[in-house]
């Protein structure tokens, strides 16, 4: 139990966010005066019970065989009309043409925009909004759609339970450059300040998504920024996409959350919301659990193995101490003849009592009685022996 507590503490410290001051002009921010914990005072939905993002605990997800692959519609037919890339002080987003949509859901959804969330500390220092088993990715792409079968536009749909569908793509850092992401990253230097927008060449939006669109997590949640409406059917892909360290660095260091005419320049960093309580919700998976696949990251494995070793070690020590104490108590109560070796004495040779001389014939009766005492204590020990590997929550 102590190891489990320590494990949680280590995780908490590991994911503690670094605070950055917030500019006054922008009504809400991630840290500062109207930071995440204050959002609900100004935007009531942010204090709701079905908020996003969430931590996906893979052992607590539920396989739903009816979840078919999501199908991007027209993502690759971008046409000749340029996209608009916009720095709104919270993120960089691209408005999407209305012929792009999403299938594979109970209704047809129309694409609206896509945007990114990132951190500030480079690879393996957080940045994604959703986490898997407590672990962040380095960044996250969101492609936002509204239910165009039931609602006339985004603003009408965003307040409705079944109004929005958002694709979540976890982004990690690796060796290779991801050319698809350069379609966005190469232009960030031209929208460095909040409120700036430019036209960029249209590109294949599907190339930003992972290849496997059939394996995903599905749950009911919210917008991850104010007004946090609980109107989103979330699809978080199991497969993550990879960008290079240089690409991540661009994302993290080029943009400002402050406007061009503001004297105090504020870097636009750590624009991700903390994970929210799942409450009554269930996260469904479109794929059946393959044991430990989600836990395959080196770090998680190392932590889990470390905790296991710690628990086993602790159990061994506790068992040893209990046994030793019990023996000393017995020794105190009556003189016990130790004529058979026990593990306790073996590991504590300096405390081993001097062997008693072999008992002679006349004392046979007494020896018998003591033998019985010994055997009954070892019997009791066997029963009370703690299991060598105590149950731990992975
Ligand atoms: C969205 O649709 C509603 C309802 O038809 C309408 O009142 C509103 O003006 C529309 N908003 C936009 C931005 O088009
Ligand atoms: C989301 O909520 C709707 C309406 O309450 C429900 O029918 C649906 O099963 C939920 N979906 C998930 C993935 O929990």
């Amino acid at each position: 139990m102590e190891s489990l507590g320590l494990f949680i503490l280590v995780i908490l410290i590991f994911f503690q966010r670094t605070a950055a001051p917030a500019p006054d002009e922008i009504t809400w921010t991630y840290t500062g005066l109207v930071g995440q914990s204050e959002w609900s005072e100004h935007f009531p939905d942010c204090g709701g019970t079905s908020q996003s993002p969430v931590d996906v605990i893979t052992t607590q997800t539920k396989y739903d065989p009816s979840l078919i692959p999501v199908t991007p519609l027209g993502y690759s037919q971008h046409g000749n009309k340029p996209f608009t890339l916009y720095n709104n002080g919270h993120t960089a987003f691209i408005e999407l043409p209305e012929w792009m949509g999403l299938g594979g859901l109970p209704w047809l959804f129309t694409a609206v925009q896509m945007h990114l969330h990132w951190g500030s500390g480079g690879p393996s220092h957080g940045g994604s909004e959703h986490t898997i088993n407590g672990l962040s990715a380095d960044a996250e792409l969101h492609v936002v759609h509204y239910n165009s079968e039931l609602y006339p536009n985004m603003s009408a749909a965003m307040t409705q339970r079944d109004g929005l569908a958002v694709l979540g793509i976890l982004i990690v850092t690796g060796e290779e450059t991801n050319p698809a992401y350069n379609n966005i990253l190469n232009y960030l230097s031209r929208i460095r300040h909040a409120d700036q927008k430019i036209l960029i060449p249209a590109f294949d939006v599907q190339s930003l998504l992972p290849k496997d669109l059939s394996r995903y997590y599905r749950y009911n949640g919210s917008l991850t920024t104010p007004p946090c409406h609980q109107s989103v059917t979330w699809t978080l892909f199991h497969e993550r996409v990879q960008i290079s360290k240089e690409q991540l660095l661009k994302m993290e260091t080029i943009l400002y959350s402050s406007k061009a005419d503001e004297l105090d320049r504020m870097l636009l960093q750590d624009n991700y919301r903390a994970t929210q309580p799942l409450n009554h919700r269930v996260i469904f998976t479109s794929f059946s659990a393959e044991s430990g696949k989600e836990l395959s990251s080196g770090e998680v494995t190392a932590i889990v193995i470390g905790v296991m070793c710690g628990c086993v070690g602790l159990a061994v020590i506790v068992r040893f101490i209990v046994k030793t104490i019990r023996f000393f108590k017995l020794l105190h109560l009556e003189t016990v003849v130790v004529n058979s070796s026990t593990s306790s004495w073996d590991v504590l040779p300096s405390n081993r009592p001097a062997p008693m001389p072999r008992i002679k014939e006349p004392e046979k009766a007494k020896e018998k009685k003591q033998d019985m005492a010994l055997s009954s204590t070892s019997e009791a020990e066997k029963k009370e022996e703690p299991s060598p590997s105590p149950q731990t929550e992975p």
Side-chain angles (χ1 to χ4, degrees):
M1 284 324 275
E2 277 166 53
S3 299
L4 190 65
L6 195 69
F7 174 58
I8 290 164
L9 190 73
V10 164
I11 290 288
L12 283 178
I13 292 166
F14 190 75
F15 288 104
Q16 228 172 27
R17 266 110 215 208
T18 47
D24 297 335
E25 322 289 321
I26 294 156
T27 49
W28 61 268
T29 54
Y30 285 90
T31 53
L33 285 180
V34 192
Q36 303 191 34
S37 43
E38 278 75 47
W39 287 359
S40 60
E41 289 168 23
H42 305 81
F43 309 95
D45 283 6
C46 298
T49 55
S50 299
Q51 288 290 292
S52 293
V54 294
D55 178 36
V56 179
I57 301 167
T58 50
T59 53
Q60 288 167 23
T61 57
K62 197 166 178 285
Y63 172 49
D64 180 354
S66 76
L67 293 177
I68 58 172
V70 290
T71 46
L73 305 170
Y75 270 42
S76 300
Q77 285 121 48
H78 47 77
N80 298 320
K81 215 172 155 233
F83 291 163
T84 300
L85 178 64
Y86 186 46
N87 176 350
N88 68 357
H90 308 300
T91 184
F93 75 84
I94 290 177
E95 291 164 3
L96 293 174
E98 59 194 9
W99 68 78
M100 289 187 192
L102 195 64
L105 288 158
W107 297 278
L108 201 65
F109 286 79
T110 294
V112 182
Q113 52 104 329
M114 62 182 171
H115 61 264
L116 291 156
H117 298 269
W118 58 84
S120 60
S124 309
H125 283 85
S128 69
E129 299 216 289
H130 288 92
T131 58
I132 309 283
N133 296 320
L135 282 181
S136 304
D138 294 328
E140 189 168 332
L141 173 72
H142 289 159
V143 191
V144 182
H145 311 73
Y146 77 93
N147 185 334
S148 47
E149 272 192 61
L150 298 185
Y151 309 106
N153 55 43
M154 173 71 181
S155 18
M158 72 189 285
T159 55
Q160 306 300 315
R161 236 197 126 68
D162 47 8
L164 305 180
V166 181
L167 301 181
I169 294 106
L170 295 173
I171 301 169
V172 291
T173 313
E175 290 300 315
E176 282 168 35
T177 300
N178 187 328
Y181 278 80
N182 276 346
N183 286 307
I184 304 171
L185 300 176
N186 283 350
Y187 300 97
L188 292 184
S189 58
R190 294 168 62 183
I191 52 155
R192 294 197 77 173
H193 303 281
D195 288 352
Q196 290 183 332
K197 65 165 86 174
I198 54 152
L199 296 176
I200 62 167
F203 62 92
D204 179 358
V205 174
Q206 187 153 351
S207 63
L208 299 172
L209 307 187
K211 283 184 189 70
D212 184 1
L213 302 181
S214 67
R215 288 153 64 88
Y216 57 81
Y217 302 103
R218 167 71 47 80
Y219 77 99
N220 286 334
S222 73
L223 298 172
T224 63
T225 57
C228 309
H229 295 315
Q230 299 186 152
S231 53
V232 179
T233 299
W234 274 96
T235 302
L236 181 69
F237 291 112
H238 177 261
E239 188 190 334
R240 307 187 288 181
V241 301
Q242 205 184 72
I243 61 172
S244 70
K245 195 178 165 185
E246 290 69 32
Q247 288 182 304
L248 183 71
L249 226 64
K250 274 190 184 177
M251 203 186 287
E252 289 184 344
T253 58
I254 290 184
L255 298 180
Y256 294 111
S257 59
S258 50
K259 292 175 186 165
D261 57 5
E262 282 180 73
L263 289 176
D264 285 336
R265 287 186 174 180
M266 300 288 173
L267 278 174
L268 177 39
Q269 292 184 320
D270 295 318
N271 58 349
Y272 57 94
R273 189 187 193 191
T275 54
Q276 304 295 305
L278 206 50
N279 296 320
H280 57 283
R281 291 174 290 175
V282 175
I283 299 177
F284 294 93
T285 60
S286 65
F287 55 100
S288 56
E290 281 169 25
S291 55
K293 188 133 195 210
E294 288 75 28
L295 287 166
S296 65
S297 151
E299 279 165 301
V300 195
T301 314
I303 290 168
V304 168
I305 289 170
V307 169
M308 297 284 236
C309 291
C311 287
V312 171
L314 200 70
V316 167
I317 291 165
V318 165
R319 184 185 163 207
F320 170 75
I321 290 169
V322 165
K323 274 185 117 178
T324 308
I325 289 170
R326 197 181 294 152
F327 260 86
F328 276 117
K329 272 188 183 160
L330 271 174
L331 274 173
H332 186 70
L333 286 173
E334 54 178 320
T335 327
V336 177
V337 182
V338 184
N339 53 10
S340 64
S341 81
T342 64
S343 59
S344 296
W345 298 120
D346 275 352
V347 282
L348 246 192
S350 56
N351 287 348
R352 189 202 296 262
M356 301 282 278
R358 273 265 156 226
I359 295 136
K360 297 270 150 56
E361 275 298 319
E363 294 178 58
K364 198 93 187 184
K366 200 182 166 194
E367 187 194 13
K368 231 175 201 150
K369 192 182 161 200
Q370 282 163 347
D371 269 355
M372 275 169 68
L374 246 188
S375 69
S376 69
T377 54
S378 59
E379 224 28 47
E381 253 168 28
K382 256 181 217 155
K383 266 182 220 153
E384 285 171 39
E385 210 162 55
S387 104
S389 55
Q391 293 291 308
T392 50
E393 308 266 330

